Each structure stands twice: as structure tokens, then as C-alpha cells.
Amino acid sequence: MLPETSTPGADLAAQFPSTPRGAQLARRHAVRWLEALGHPPESDVSCAVALVVGELAANAVQHGRVFGRTVGVRLTADAAAELVRVEVSDAAGDRRPSAALPSSPPEGESGRGLLLVDVLALRWGWTPRKPLGKTVWAELPLKPAEGTTPDPGRT
């Protein structure tokens, strides 16, 4: 699916299938959107936003899936506040993220998504969405585009 808005500097707003593939597409659209804003895919900003979008979209697919409904993703860059706001909406308002961060055993294969979001985001939370559903949001620092080239010594 294509974003509703894809003009550089504009918000990104798109609907994706409530499937694992939809979550993957949301992450890819976020990376392309940030690249259009001057943050290459290998930059810290792009990597952090891609991870948060991927985690929140995967959670929406796994825990907020309602048959026949899509997952909505909105990204907003606020240059003045140096923030990127990520919003992921689903139709399952009765299934809300836990107020307490989950603990996952080290050998576990899941359960760390919101921990990652908590580490990468300046703040995050959720709000009910009318007429149904919820929006989980996170705000991440938006660093200036200059100086985002990778260190040649890093592999």
C-alpha cells in the first residue's frame, strides 16, 4: 500500500494490512520517508525510527488485530522540537499495552518490543481512538541530517 502523503517534509500517513507483511511494509515506508527528509537508511535516526515502527506495527498485528481492519501508521517530524512522532493505530481498543514493561527471559524469543521502544523513545504511551481502537505513540529525537554518515571504521 502507498502512503496517503509522501511529499518530503510532510507527515507520512498510511494504512497497512494487519499482517506481518503489513508491519514490514510500514517499517520500509518509514525508512523511505526519513530518507526523503535527509536521514539515510544507515543513520541512527532512521534505524531507531524503523525499529520503533516495526515493533509497534508488529504489536498491532499480533495483539490488536481485528479481522477486516488495517493498521494505521502516521509519522510526523517536528524540526523545531527535534522530534519524530510515531503513531500506530489498530481497531482493538480493549487490548491495551501494559502500563508495566514486560519482563522476558533471556532465552525467550519475544516480549522485548516495548522494552526496545522504551529505550529508544524519549516518551511513549497510548490513547483511545474513536469510534474504536487505540493509537500507540512514541516520540524519538530527530537529529540534524548533517553528521549522519556512518563511521568508516564501524562494520
Side-chain angles (χ1 to χ4, degrees), residues 13-142:
Q15 299 291 317
F16 298 96
S18 188
T19 63
R21 175 78 173 138
Q24 182 183 43
L25 289 171
R27 188 181 72 243
R28 287 183 179 175
H29 277 291
V31 170
R32 283 192 216 125
W33 177 75
L34 282 163
E35 189 171 24
L37 294 179
H39 300 279
E42 66 275 3
S43 70
D44 289 343
V45 172
S46 183
C47 290
V49 170
L51 184 59
V52 169
V53 168
E55 290 297 336
L56 294 182
N59 282 352
V61 166
Q62 184 174 3
H63 305 293
R65 185 176 189 175
V66 173
F67 183 75
R69 299 290 183 155
T70 59
V71 171
V73 175
R74 178 176 296 280
L75 301 175
T76 307
D78 183 342
E82 295 186 340
L83 289 176
V84 174
R85 183 173 173 100
V86 174
E87 298 177 355
V88 177
S89 301
D90 63 55
D94 59 330
R95 295 179 225 146
R96 300 174 179 152
S98 173
L101 290 174
S103 61
S104 179
E107 66 279 356
E109 294 183 12
S110 64
R112 294 183 187 83
L114 289 180
L115 291 171
L116 291 171
V117 171
D118 190 60
V119 168
L120 293 171
L122 298 170
R123 60 194 150 269
W124 70 275
W126 71 274
T127 56
R129 196 180 72 176
K130 299 201 186 292
L132 69 130
K134 67 181 170 303
T135 298
V136 181
W137 57 268
E139 294 177 343
L140 292 89
L142 177 64

